[in-house]
Amino acid sequence: MQSLLQEIRQCEICKSQLNHAPRPVLNASKSSKILIIGQAPGAKVHASGVPWDDKSGENLRSWLGIDQKCFYDPKNIAIVPMGFCYPGKGKSGDLPPRPECAAQWHEVLLNELKEVKLTLLIGQYAQNYYLGERVKKTLTDTVRHFEEYLPDYFVLPHPSPRNNIWRAKNQWFDESVLPQLKHLIDEILY
């Protein structure tokens, strides 16, 4: 596993598509119990090299009901984004994750994660890739019907502060989804 992680961290498959040097960011262990598949690192995470080292990460840890120590322990949590490198800035936020990463690395990496009990699919890119035709017409509908994807997947919106308006319009998420998520996390980790 360590040699595979090192190989991924040295990957430059998308180098010609980026306006900056590649810096693949992920965290995993053969004994990871929960797998988080998100979008791609943002600029702050690209700079630090620490996954979810931003406000979105703070929100995510709050949603999960766990602290940083638990979150960053790869025996607990594997963090595998759809795109391992920061894709760059677009007109209305970060660009989509580069497609090369998942195609090149996900299958081989996920085959090493034999202890995973739950996979969190965060955002539409992860949901579209892993759920395929099972996704609903909108991310909101997919998340609203999260129980359909259990026990294999737990679907979530991106925890970006930009989604606070979405959360305000969809209070059922905080009232119904997050308590069940925290319960599952507690069962798996404790």
Side-chain angles (χ1 to χ4, degrees):
M1 175 63 112
Q2 290 309 313
S3 61
L4 176 59
L5 292 174
Q6 187 62 28
E7 189 179 352
I8 294 170
R9 289 182 177 121
Q10 293 174 350
C11 180
E12 295 188 339
I13 195 170
C14 63
K15 184 176 183 175
S16 66
Q17 303 298 318
L18 300 176
N19 292 328
H20 51 275
R23 186 178 193 181
V25 178
L26 72 155
N27 197 23
S29 160
K30 276 188 172 279
S31 58
S32 299
K33 297 174 190 79
I34 296 169
L35 170 60
I36 296 174
I37 302 178
Q39 296 182 172
K44 184 175 179 187
V45 170
H46 175 75
S48 74
V50 178
W52 294 97
D53 182 29
D54 54 14
K55 187 65 178 161
S56 295
E58 288 177 29
N59 289 342
L60 179 58
R61 288 185 290 278
S62 172
W63 290 2
L64 301 175
I66 60 176
D67 61 17
Q68 282 188 327
K69 183 177 178 183
C70 180
F71 185 80
Y72 288 114
D73 182 344
K75 288 182 219 136
N76 294 327
I77 311 272
I79 301 169
V80 179
M82 290 302 297
F84 294 117
C85 293
Y86 171 56
K89 202 67 154 165
K91 291 181 182 177
S92 61
D94 291 343
L95 292 169
R98 296 290 321 152
E100 300 90 342
C101 298
Q104 177 74 26
W105 298 112
H106 274 214
E107 184 176 354
V108 67
L109 181 56
L110 272 55
N111 284 336
E112 295 294 318
L113 300 174
K114 309 250 188 249
E115 302 297 319
V116 169
K117 307 283 187 259
L118 180 66
T119 299
L120 307 181
L121 299 177
I122 299 178
Q124 68 176 342
Y125 299 108
Q127 291 164 16
N128 289 342
Y129 190 86
Y130 281 95
L131 299 177
E133 293 180 5
R134 294 174 58 202
V135 295
K136 306 294 182 196
K137 287 189 177 201
T138 66
L139 181 131
T140 299
D141 284 340
T142 300
V143 173
R144 186 184 310 274
H145 294 97
F146 73 97
E147 290 170 312
E148 291 180 20
Y149 309 105
L150 292 170
D152 299 322
Y153 299 115
F154 202 112
V155 295
L156 295 167
H158 195 281
S160 168
R162 295 177 74 177
N163 283 337
N164 286 341
I165 294 170
W166 180 90
R167 285 181 69 195
K169 290 180 182 176
N170 297 284
Q171 293 182 4
W172 52 265
F173 176 73
D174 286 29
E175 295 164 2
S176 301
V177 178
L178 291 183
Q180 290 192 54
L181 174 63
K182 287 177 182 175
H183 177 73
L184 278 174
I185 299 299
D186 282 349
E187 281 187 337
I188 293 167
L189 294 181
Y190 306 109

